[in-house]
Amino acid sequence: MPAFARKRIPTFAAFMSSGRTVAFHTLGCKLNFAETSTLARSLEEAGFARVRPEERPDVFVLNTCSVTENADKECRQWVRRFQRINPEGFIAVVGCYAQLKPQEIAAIPGVDLVLGANEKFDLAAHLERLEGKQDQGRAVFGAIKEVRSFVPGWNTGDRTRTFLKVQDGCDYFCSFCTIPLARGRSRSATIAETLAIVRGIASAGVREVVLTGVNTGDFGRMHGETFLDLVRELDKVQGIDRFRISSIEPNLCGDELIDLVAGSERFMPHFHMPLQSGSDAILERMRRRYDTALYARRVERIRERLPHACIGADVITGTPGENDQEFERTHAFLRDTAVDYLHVFTYSERANTTAVRMEDTVPTERRRERTHQLRILSTKLQRSFMERQLGSARMVLFERGDGEGAAMEGYTDNYVRVVAPYDASRVDQLSEVRLGRINGDGLVEGTFTMASPSRYVVDEFAMIV
Ligand code: SF4
């Protein structure tokens, strides 16, 4: 038994009589961060004080991800890290990996509690029921098909930007993806419920809301509403300067939505649309719901309506059947369609997906090589996008960062990361900045202009010049 052998501690309640501190660590996507914040609020309401992991908390909560094969390794590493910090601390594991492999995680030495996709939102109650540290953790989870309720989530504490979970789950079942198995069927709150949350966030002084989900564009389908309806209503909410759509499937990013964003002061000219492959044969094997022609039309429409917009794409290398020609087709498609940056993932076999049963698997080394090539392409695309912005004046929302310092950073409307001299009066504020040069850290150096915040007027002028 490891050095930090367990001490038999009567009950969780007894252990907690001397105070209640909790620390969280989140792996994975913006959705997980929004949910961690929601779980933290529920524990704070139950009397816990939130601390950082290194502050030796009584309870550690790990919010896991399941997208890559490293999920298991990362989970074990963090459990060991928690145990080194406080061998007597309770460890709870939630999130996508917890729903997929609850028993396996419960067997990891040191883990006390594993909660499934539905159960995680009752974390405080499940902690109270713990009867001290046991040799085997308790796993509480249900079948994913029973997960039907939608629990909204948003992060607080950051007055600049908030990730707002507006949708959860997915009905697409792409052949390589485990997310529907970890998060269940597509679901969301109603537009009215979502607007109420956003008004609450606005009253907390937050300037930018990032709409996030698993298949965000599928918002509202269970209530007979649409994502387009939601965007139209959000555009009218007072008090939020900016909305950003974190990601949207190409088949759900229609002309109406692009035109709505183009005509909006609040929705940012930034589209992150997963492509996954530039080969129609591979898209078919992935069971994606579009082809490259549709994707190219989306990019064309965005470029036409929002020439300065930023377009990002997810792409996976090495899925079964991807031969050299098909990879070349993906590389050429991305280069010629001229998206502005890529998030590149290396395919990894995931249990219970249809792709794992497919033949013609690509050797791991070859997958990694292709990922490397696309990451080089991404750097070039991003550089050329940033260079096209230099000289123009754009609105930047400067973040608090680590407080007082020599410089502060923030994003332009079209997702360029800008650095400028620190000015406390401009933190959490929108400021117009002229984009100068790209510095050694890959950030654009900005200088404040005296012009009014109406970005449209300034934009056109800069473009003409
Ligand atoms: S759209 Fe496909 S890749 Fe995205 S979460 Fe759904 S199943 Fe996974």
Side-chain angles (χ1 to χ4, degrees):
M1 178 162 295
F4 40 72
R6 299 161 195 279
K7 299 189 186 58
R8 290 234 161 277
I9 296 162
T11 67
F12 182 79
F15 178 78
M16 285 301 156
S17 57
S18 58
R20 302 158 159 260
T21 55
V22 61
F24 290 82
H25 184 73
T26 307
L27 301 169
C29 63
K30 295 184 179 84
L31 193 54
N32 258 12
F33 282 89
E35 289 185 340
T36 292
S37 218
T38 302
L39 294 178
R41 279 197 300 277
S42 71
L43 286 193
E44 279 158 353
E45 281 149 25
F48 285 80
R50 189 170 180 183
V51 296
R52 292 194 309 279
E54 56 278 15
E55 293 178 86
R56 200 184 159 78
D58 302 310
V59 176
F60 298 94
V61 181
L62 180 64
N63 194 355
T64 60
C65 165
S66 74
V67 167
T68 69
E69 81 231 330
N70 295 331
D72 177 38
K73 205 167 73 203
E74 280 178 316
C75 181
R76 289 173 185 276
Q77 278 168 350
W78 274 98
V79 170
R80 283 198 296 277
R81 200 168 290 158
F82 292 159
Q83 286 183 300
R84 280 197 297 279
I85 296 169
N86 181 5
E88 292 182 5
F90 281 76
I91 298 175
V93 179
V94 302
C96 293
Y97 186 53
Q99 174 65 39
L100 289 176
K101 302 276 171 149
Q103 306 292 20
E104 221 172 284
I105 298 171
I108 298 174
V111 171
D112 298 284
L113 181 64
V114 183
L115 296 178
N118 240 354
E119 294 72 23
K120 65 184 172 194
F121 295 108
D122 299 324
L123 177 59
H126 284 288
L127 281 172
E128 296 294 354
R129 286 191 213 113
L130 279 179
E131 283 141 15
K133 296 203 61 89
Q134 311 291 329
D135 290 340
Q136 168 82 22
R138 173 187 292 181
V140 189
F141 60 98
I144 198 62
K145 62 181 184 312
E146 285 154 21
V147 177
R148 293 291 172 179
S149 60
F150 176 78
V151 179
W154 64 94
N155 63 312
T156 44
D158 178 340
R159 289 195 53 217
T160 313
R161 305 170 79 220
T162 281
F163 299 141
L164 172 63
K165 168 188 170 182
V166 294
Q167 185 274 348
D168 199 349
C170 187
D171 298 343
Y172 281 18
F173 292 92
C174 300
S175 62
F176 55 83
C177 185
T178 56
I179 299 173
L181 307 171
R183 282 189 168 271
R185 303 308 294 263
S186 181
R187 54 200 189 279
S188 69
T190 64
I191 291 178
E193 289 160 343
T194 308
L195 290 177
I197 294 170
V198 171
R199 292 194 186 98
I201 292 171
S203 63
V206 169
R207 314 311 297 266
E208 178 170 316
V209 171
V210 181
L211 306 180
T212 187
V214 171
N215 190 345
T216 312
D218 202 35
F219 169 93
R221 203 156 47 80
M222 66 187 283
H223 304 289
E225 298 176 325
T226 67
F227 185 64
L228 190 64
D229 299 333
L230 175 68
V231 169
R232 218 174 258 122
E233 294 308 313
L234 286 174
D235 203 28
K236 302 173 193 156
V237 173
Q238 297 306 312
I240 299 287
D241 296 298
R242 292 176 158 189
F243 289 99
R244 205 176 286 275
I245 302 169
S246 67
S247 176
I248 186 159
E249 292 295 311
N251 52 303
L252 298 173
C253 185
D255 292 356
E256 271 191 284
L257 180 67
I258 295 169
D259 296 353
L260 184 56
V261 171
S264 161
E265 281 277 328
R266 292 220 182 92
F267 272 81
M268 297 296 102
H270 175 200
F271 295 86
H272 189 91
M273 283 191 303
L275 170 72
Q276 307 305 16
S277 175
S279 147
D280 286 339
I282 296 288
L283 287 177
E284 209 166 315
R285 288 167 80 96
M286 287 176 162
R287 300 206 328 211
R288 299 291 286 163
R289 299 185 178 209
Y290 54 87
D291 58 14
T292 52
L294 179 144
Y295 196 94
R297 278 203 306 281
R298 297 292 191 239
V299 172
E300 205 181 304
R301 179 82 179 193
I302 293 168
R303 291 273 176 251
E304 186 195 309
R305 298 302 321 278
L306 294 146
H308 54 288
C310 179
I311 304 174
D314 293 338
V315 60
I316 301 176
T317 65
T319 49
E322 185 190 61
N323 57 31
D324 291 348
Q325 291 72 29
E326 269 143 356
F327 174 67
E328 276 320 310
R329 210 164 287 140
T330 295
H331 194 285
F333 181 83
L334 288 163
R335 195 187 53 238
D336 305 341
T337 315
V339 293
D340 302 307
Y341 67 88
L342 309 175
H343 289 169
V344 187
F345 302 90
T346 305
Y347 171 71
S348 58
E349 282 75 5
R350 309 302 294 147
N352 306 319
T353 59
T354 47
V356 83
R357 296 191 295 276
M358 288 180 182
E359 285 149 14
D360 309 333
T361 54
V362 178
T364 307
E365 212 25 59
R366 178 69 54 82
R367 300 177 202 180
R368 295 207 175 111
E369 261 165 46
R370 290 173 181 170
T371 294
H372 181 61
Q373 286 182 44
L374 290 186
R375 288 194 173 139
I376 292 171
L377 175 62
S378 181
T379 307
K380 287 188 191 137
L381 291 168
Q382 190 162 22
R383 180 96 190 174
S384 113
F385 171 69
M386 290 163 82
E387 280 165 358
R388 289 201 305 274
Q389 313 307 314
L390 300 184
S392 73
R394 311 215 68 85
M395 298 304 288
V396 175
L397 180 56
F398 284 100
E399 296 152 17
R400 181 166 298 282
D402 308 334
E404 297 274 334
M408 56 184 186
E409 295 180 14
Y411 284 110
T412 63
D413 54 340
N414 58 352
Y415 214 48
V416 174
R417 189 83 180 153
V418 171
V419 62
Y422 185 81
D423 174 345
S425 72
R426 291 180 187 272
V427 168
D428 293 337
Q429 300 299 321
L430 279 167
S431 294
E432 189 184 76
V433 162
R434 184 141 326 262
L435 305 185
R437 68 185 191 90
I438 302 171
N439 69 15
D441 303 327
L443 301 174
V444 172
E445 293 179 350
T447 47
F448 299 112
T449 72
M450 300 315 291
S452 73
S454 167
R455 121 175 109 89
Y456 277 84
V457 178
V458 173
D459 228 1
E460 306 311 324
F461 178 68
M463 284 292 176
I464 294 165
V465 171

